[in-house]
Amino acid sequence: MKLVASFLLLAGAVQAQPVLDAWIRTPGSNAAVRRIAPEVHEVLSDADYVYVESAGLTLHSLAPWGAGGATAAGPQLFHFRFPRHPLPARRMVAAPQGIIGAFLTGVPVYSSAAGSSWQGANIWHPDTLSRVPARPDLFTRHGGKPQLIGFALDGYPIYAGAGERSGYRLRHITVRRTLPDGTALTPGQEGPAVSNEYPLGTFVEDYEFTPGAGTLDRHNGRDTEAGYGYYATADYPYLAGPEFYGAIDAPATCDNMQLSSVQARAGTAVDLSLCTSSSHLERVHEKLIHLIVVSKDLKDFAHLHPEQQSTAQSWKVTHTFPRAGLYRLYAEYTAAGEKPRVARFTVEVAPGGSLQTLAEEAPQGTSMKHAQLRAGEDVPFEFESNQPLEPYLGAWGHFVVIGEDGSEFLHAHPAEEMPIQDPWQHSHATGPGPQRVNATIGFPRAGRYRLWAQFQIAGVVTTTAWNLEVALPVATVPSHVDTRNTVSIQVTRSGYEPSRIPLEKGKPTRLAFTRADAANCGGTVVFPDLGIRAELPAGRTTIVELPATEREELRFACGMGMLKGVLLALP
């Protein structure tokens, strides 16, 4: 972490209003050169906030302090907003996994967890700053006076050269099955075991705050006579901690997921703002939240992906509703330690100036075949395109099915062939693009449905819709299955219950999978390490026999990789 003395000297004199006056500005910059000019371009303010603009470039040696996040190559245009009069937060405000502040030069300050994550799931984040060589004068005292180097988004200053020590220490763990706050993860969210390849300290989640272990609090700051401030330290979290000390614009406390009040008008763009109770969402099919927007008459359809805002629990996406009327919103997300969820909302859209009358969608170079549609059965679908398909959100396609009254919501993907390389994450489409894919969809009850198929062809995502009529189920006599000496596993929409099962090494294992209905993607279970694949018909119990193994664990998943479980050796 190199920071030359000239920068420290420029930042050393703390002004009467540091958040307004301490910025290092570009001499004589104008709008024509702002895209390439270094340092801060402009500082504006009102009674509550200071607004700072920069291209994220500097002539002062800050690299690699600001290199923790995945930023685009070349200059960008950053707009930072800081409270002029920062106040302590009344509740925990998790810092985002991205920009958490700005240096005085206008270079963004990134969280140590701002980069990629293990398996791309957004649960275990490499400690990107731990591999950066530290310069001693950042952490030792300069005449007993700390040096101002930037501000966090909550408005509190960040200092260097104060001789402070972080209070975070490595956790005493050998397996990564919990987060530092004690959240027990599901099998598909667990990280790699502690090993020579992944030693402790590989991920920021390997650290926990230990009161009294250092000179700073859990935010990596402390209070002084001059006020509260964050301090640069040689160890994690290096700058501001994983939680802000101060209050910033954040939604009210959420119960799971909530949608802010929306005043929508047809033909006019509107922000859809969501908040979540969890600051850790699992990335599923390349996104943290999938928001499906459908009109009540099932004519309008949109597949959106809200982006994280200035706090880890705040999300926003801009959308234009094409027509007036009632819309249903389905937000799919998976919080750390929890099974997948679907939050449901309704939005009433007022008439506007750009009303549209939508005709029935015609297939756009895509055809569909399916078996007889009956409730409670796994129905195979075949989709064919006149051009090769390209990967879209980690799959060869996405299928959304919604019942006529909006109560039933199904989301499926093309089936993956054995073996699944790693069932702890979704299988990503690889290889040459097919022109034909298959999917299995189960309908929980009879009635009318609408199916949307989304494919990417020649770089463009196309959406095709079909209306379906699902018949009543055929009455069947349940067959008797001997479940003695078995471990019972229920297969539901939420996953396998239980999803973590004891395994006796060196002895065969008998599992009894009971799949109550077809309204889930668990029609197939795969044990890739054993080369075993078994069909699980809806409404039946199926015995799966596993041979004796000396493995410490055996992973299994459904054929689409959506449901995951693990067998663990008994101690």
Side-chain angles (χ1 to χ4, degrees):
M1 301 179 182
K2 298 179 181 179
L3 192 62
V4 297
S6 60
F7 178 73
L8 291 174
L9 291 173
L10 283 167
V14 178
Q15 308 294 325
Q17 298 186 67
V19 72
L20 180 61
D21 302 325
W23 302 98
I24 301 172
R25 308 193 190 201
T26 301
S29 66
N30 56 63
V33 298
R34 279 183 180 174
R35 295 292 295 175
I36 59 173
E39 322 310 350
V40 171
H41 303 158
E42 187 174 49
V43 179
L44 302 174
S45 67
D46 55 27
D48 299 316
Y49 296 99
V50 172
Y51 307 87
V52 177
E53 179 189 287
S54 80
L57 302 174
T58 180
L59 297 178
H60 298 84
S61 180
L62 281 172
W65 272 79
T71 60
Q76 302 175 78
L77 190 61
F78 292 96
H79 292 94
F80 304 100
R81 190 180 74 169
F82 304 92
R84 288 190 66 171
H85 311 288
L87 295 172
R90 294 184 177 179
R91 62 182 181 86
M92 187 273 289
V93 180
Q97 292 164 358
I99 295 174
I100 60 173
F103 292 103
L104 299 186
T105 57
V107 172
V109 175
Y110 288 98
S111 162
S112 183
S116 60
S117 58
W118 188 70
Q119 303 286 36
N122 193 46
I123 300 292
W124 298 92
H125 299 84
D127 184 2
T128 55
L129 295 182
S130 66
R131 298 183 294 273
V132 177
R135 178 166 176 164
D137 62 0
L138 285 173
F139 315 109
T140 57
R141 294 186 180 275
H142 291 267
K145 187 175 183 181
Q147 309 296 308
L148 177 66
I149 62 172
F151 292 90
L153 292 180
D154 60 2
Y156 283 99
I158 303 173
Y159 297 103
E164 303 292 347
R165 303 188 311 278
S166 166
Y168 283 82
R169 297 294 181 267
L170 289 172
R171 301 161 65 192
H172 298 290
I173 56 175
T174 58
V175 293
R176 293 181 170 97
R177 294 176 185 156
T178 62
L179 294 179
D181 63 3
T183 299
L185 300 174
T186 65
Q189 297 170 342
E190 295 173 1
V194 177
S195 63
N196 290 334
E197 184 179 4
Y198 298 104
L200 279 176
T202 300
F203 306 103
V204 300
E205 290 82 6
D206 290 346
Y207 295 90
E208 63 183 351
F209 180 70
T210 305
T215 59
L216 302 176
D217 61 19
R218 66 183 310 107
H219 312 285
N220 218 44
R222 64 181 177 87
D223 209 353
T224 68
E225 293 181 359
Y228 188 87
Y230 301 101
Y231 291 85
T233 55
D235 301 315
Y236 177 83
Y238 310 108
L239 295 165
E243 300 168 4
F244 285 125
Y245 173 81
I248 61 176
D249 292 339
T253 301
C254 282
D255 181 14
N256 298 322
M257 177 177 285
Q258 294 179 5
L259 174 70
S260 299
S261 178
V262 178
Q263 301 294 323
R265 185 173 296 275
T268 301
V270 64
D271 287 339
L272 302 176
S273 297
L274 299 164
C275 66
T276 57
S277 56
S278 172
S279 59
H280 290 88
L281 298 187
E282 180 183 355
R283 183 173 287 106
V284 178
H285 278 284
E286 301 183 358
K287 298 295 180 180
L288 302 178
I289 299 176
H290 294 262
L291 182 63
I292 306 299
V293 179
V294 179
S295 59
K296 182 181 179 181
D297 61 7
L298 303 183
K299 295 294 183 66
D300 302 324
F301 173 90
H303 184 169
L304 310 175
H305 303 108
E307 296 293 334
Q308 191 179 50
Q309 300 303 294
S310 57
T311 64
Q313 296 120 306
S314 180
W315 310 81
K316 185 173 69 175
V317 65
T318 301
H319 180 61
T320 300
F321 294 91
R323 298 182 298 149
L326 183 70
Y327 284 77
R328 297 186 176 101
L329 281 62
Y330 305 84
E332 292 185 284
Y333 70 104
T334 303
E338 298 180 2
K339 303 293 180 62
R341 295 189 180 191
V342 177
R344 301 164 185 252
F345 313 101
T346 58
V347 172
E348 187 71 39
V349 179
S354 302
L355 299 181
Q356 300 180 16
T357 301
L358 298 185
E360 288 288 325
E361 294 184 61
Q364 302 171 3
T366 305
S367 61
M368 177 187 69
K369 299 177 183 178
H370 57 78
Q372 186 174 10
L373 300 175
R374 287 192 181 278
E377 299 179 4
D378 292 318
V379 180
F381 283 75
E382 180 182 275
F383 299 86
E384 187 170 2
S385 169
N386 58 8
Q387 298 182 59
L389 303 178
E390 299 170 347
Y392 171 55
L393 296 177
W396 291 122
H398 289 257
F399 314 114
V400 174
V401 182
I402 297 179
E404 184 178 39
D405 64 358
S407 61
E408 298 296 342
F409 174 85
L410 309 171
H411 191 170
H413 313 93
E416 298 286 344
E417 296 298 326
M418 263 286 281
I420 296 177
Q421 296 299 321
D422 189 343
W424 288 38
Q425 64 174 336
H426 293 294
S427 299
H428 290 274
T430 58
Q435 290 185 239
R436 183 185 296 111
V437 294
N438 297 291
T440 300
I441 301 175
F443 299 88
R445 57 190 177 90
R448 294 188 178 90
Y449 293 79
R450 190 162 172 86
L451 181 151
W452 291 267
Q454 290 192 291
F455 302 102
Q456 182 166 306
I457 301 173
V460 178
V461 176
T462 63
T463 302
T464 303
W466 289 273
N467 293 322
L468 306 175
E469 185 77 33
V470 178
L472 291 168
V474 175
T476 58
V477 178
S479 58
H480 175 72
V481 177
D482 184 1
T483 58
R484 290 176 297 179
N485 300 318
T486 64
V487 178
S488 296
I489 302 173
Q490 302 294 318
V491 186
T492 70
R493 295 192 190 195
S494 298
Y496 299 111
E497 299 175 1
S499 59
R500 192 174 282 108
I501 301 160
L503 169 71
E504 287 192 68
K505 291 199 300 183
K507 293 185 178 181
T509 302
R510 298 181 77 230
L511 304 176
F513 288 90
T514 300
R515 188 163 169 248
D517 56 47
N520 60 66
C521 63
T524 303
V525 63
V526 180
F527 294 82
D529 292 331
L530 301 177
I532 293 177
R533 182 186 187 99
E535 302 300 321
L536 306 180
R540 291 172 51 183
T541 297
T542 303
I543 304 297
V544 178
E545 307 233 9
L546 305 181
T549 178
E550 294 298 322
R551 292 178 178 271
E552 294 291 332
E553 63 180 37
L554 280 175
R555 303 173 182 178
F556 61 94
C558 67
M560 294 183 189
M562 297 288 290
L563 311 181
K564 309 179 187 75
V566 61
L567 283 80
L568 296 170
L570 294 171

